[in-house]
Amino acid sequence: MTDKSADDVNRAYWDKVFSKPHTIADTSSHWIGELLAQNPLPLPGDILEIGCGSGYDTAFLLAHGCAMTCMDLSWNALRRVAQTYPAATLVHAALPDPLPFRPNVFDFVVCGLSLHYYRWDDTRRAVAEVRRVLSEDGVLIFQVNATEDVEHGAGQGEEIEPGLFLNRGRYKRFFSEQMCRELFADGWHLDLLVPRLETHFNTNKRTWAGICRPVRAKMD
């Protein structure tokens, strides 16, 4: 299967998910709030949320006074966010394609479970795009599937690359701690990386979540 085919299957999958009611994940506590408790950040700010889904993270960030630009590959997800959170700016786009924004425009980028659907080279390109659109002192807040996330597909399907599985036509990656650190080893400073266990769609979900900042080249 080509990457384009997997992207099309992924898009159709999420359009179907967000065509149904009550698809917002129920979590025991908000993951961004947990990270901020360990590593405080100067919210509010201008935030790009990549993979906004039904707006679970959107709601948290709007409640903290942030200006939200919400991006998703699913039109159904964007329609739901538009109805519930009309203050948000909506963008129909998806990684790993280039982000449709000028450089250095966002104070924060939030990727909540949206970086783990690609081959490794595409994942690195996606992270480079995130770095491009962050401001000089910008921050990335992210959460990705962990290799222990067996109730959500870890180890299921054909392993295309280490940690990346093709299952029912969709790519899904599961990160080890080492993989997370490798992804942000070049051009980033990883301020915080923690394992998490939460309740997601009534089952246990294991993830890695973190905060990192671009390392800007110093001018002579």
Side-chain angles (χ1 to χ4, degrees):
M1 175 173 287
T2 65
D3 289 356
K4 181 65 166 60
S5 298
D7 290 345
D8 290 343
V9 172
N10 200 39
R11 183 174 289 106
Y13 172 85
W14 288 112
D15 269 335
K16 183 177 180 180
V17 167
F18 294 120
S19 69
K20 302 174 183 178
H22 310 302
T23 54
I24 294 180
D26 295 322
T27 58
S28 54
S29 62
H30 200 283
W31 68 278
I32 297 177
E34 290 182 7
L35 294 185
L36 296 183
Q38 297 179 66
N39 194 107
L41 295 172
L43 292 177
D46 291 324
I47 295 189
L48 170 63
E49 182 185 0
I50 298 178
C52 61
S54 293
Y56 178 67
D57 294 342
T58 311
F60 176 87
L61 293 162
L62 284 172
H64 283 74
C66 299
M68 297 301 300
T69 298
C70 298
M71 180 178 124
D72 205 281
L73 81 170
S74 167
W75 281 113
N76 288 338
L78 293 173
R79 291 187 188 100
R80 182 169 297 185
V81 171
Q83 292 169 359
T84 311
Y85 309 109
T89 299
L90 307 181
V91 177
H92 183 246
L95 295 172
D97 294 336
L99 294 172
F101 307 106
R102 294 179 291 106
N104 310 320
V105 292
F106 294 104
D107 300 313
F108 301 90
V109 173
V110 171
C111 295
L113 302 178
S114 58
L115 285 174
H116 49 231
Y117 295 108
Y118 319 110
R119 292 178 180 269
W120 188 250
D121 286 347
D122 284 336
T123 307
R124 289 179 62 86
R125 278 192 286 272
V127 167
E129 271 297 286
V130 168
R131 185 174 182 270
R132 180 183 67 82
V133 302
L134 278 170
S135 65
E136 176 101 12
D137 298 315
V139 177
L140 168 63
I141 305 172
F142 69 92
Q143 185 172 207
V144 293
N145 298 326
T147 50
E148 297 82 9
D149 194 24
V150 293
E151 295 187 50
H152 291 267
Q156 298 176 23
E158 178 187 359
E159 191 166 20
I160 304 298
E161 297 176 351
L164 180 69
F165 294 86
L166 179 64
N167 190 10
R168 299 181 182 179
R170 299 174 61 228
Y171 289 140
K172 201 170 184 181
R173 181 177 293 282
F174 299 86
F175 284 77
S176 64
E177 179 180 0
Q178 180 181 353
M179 233 180 255
C180 292
R181 294 190 181 280
E182 182 180 347
L183 182 61
F184 297 107
D186 185 17
W188 294 88
H189 184 271
L190 190 56
D191 293 344
L192 180 69
L193 182 65
V194 294
R196 296 194 66 254
L197 171 63
E198 64 181 35
T199 302
H200 192 84
F201 297 117
N202 299 315
T203 58
N204 288 331
K205 181 163 188 65
R206 297 182 181 275
T207 67
W208 287 98
I211 294 173
C212 56
R213 304 167 185 269
V215 176
R216 305 297 185 184
K218 293 183 178 180
M219 302 298 291
D220 293 334

